[in-house]
Amino acid sequence: MNEFSELEAELKQLRPVAPAVELTQRIEQELETAPASATPTAGVLPRPAQSRVSWFTLGLGVAAAAALFLLARVAVDNAAPGEQMVAVLTPAPLPTAASQPATSFVPEGLTRVVYNQRDEGLVFPEGEAEPLRRVRSRTRETLAWRNPETGASLRVSYP
């Protein structure tokens, strides 16, 4: 500790030496004779003005737009429950004995079950004045026939 105290005391006593008179005169003479544009910059050039793009901000904006698009797309795919038709049962007209042969089947009913229905938006077909709305549905229909004499029934289902 004592050594450091002595070293600090010696450093406090040091004073800078005044520059030589010749040096000061040469600097003044160079500044007076040289034009301002000829002053060397030691290889350091000023940077030209650049437009800076913040890649983080740009990425954040693109991510927010993608999330908004996905949420909007999910909302369009899920239609309101009141709009979808789940099943339809259509009663068949009652046949008359004179209109049907005795061995034939008569329609008994039609059942349509809608599994998925989605709205695909507006479509602009050629030659049409107004746009049309495209709605796609996945359904299964079951047709039923019955023979009134024998009581036999036939059911056919197709997607």
Side-chain angles (χ1 to χ4, degrees):
M1 283 257 203
N2 194 11
E3 294 176 13
F4 292 123
S5 304
E6 292 173 6
L7 181 62
E8 285 181 12
E10 288 179 20
L11 289 174
K12 285 182 183 178
Q13 292 175 359
L14 292 177
R15 300 286 177 242
V17 178
V21 177
E22 294 175 9
L23 176 66
T24 309
Q25 290 175 355
R26 283 194 344 232
I27 292 174
E28 286 177 2
Q29 186 179 10
E30 280 294 320
L31 289 175
E32 289 174 2
T33 59
S37 62
T39 306
T41 60
V44 178
L45 299 175
R47 286 183 144 179
Q50 295 178 354
S51 63
R52 300 186 69 177
V53 176
S54 174
W55 292 106
F56 177 74
T57 306
L58 182 65
L60 190 62
V62 169
L68 182 64
F69 176 73
L70 287 175
L71 289 175
R73 184 72 185 145
V74 168
V76 169
D77 286 343
N78 296 335
E83 293 179 9
Q84 285 187 342
M85 201 176 345
V86 177
V88 176
L89 182 59
T90 308
L94 296 173
T96 59
S99 66
Q100 297 292 327
T103 60
S104 68
F105 285 89
V106 292
E108 190 176 49
L110 167 68
T111 304
R112 178 181 291 158
V113 179
V114 178
Y115 291 105
N116 185 13
Q117 184 175 13
R118 69 172 183 246
D119 185 1
E120 293 186 348
L122 294 177
V123 179
F124 298 92
E126 292 182 20
E128 293 287 330
E130 295 182 7
L132 301 174
R133 182 165 297 280
R134 180 180 289 169
V135 178
R136 292 193 189 248
S137 301
R138 289 183 54 195
T139 62
R140 189 178 97 194
E141 293 182 353
T142 303
L143 293 142
W145 290 276
R146 188 173 61 82
N147 187 333
E149 288 186 359
T150 62
S153 65
L154 175 65
R155 290 182 184 263
V156 177
S157 295
Y158 62 94

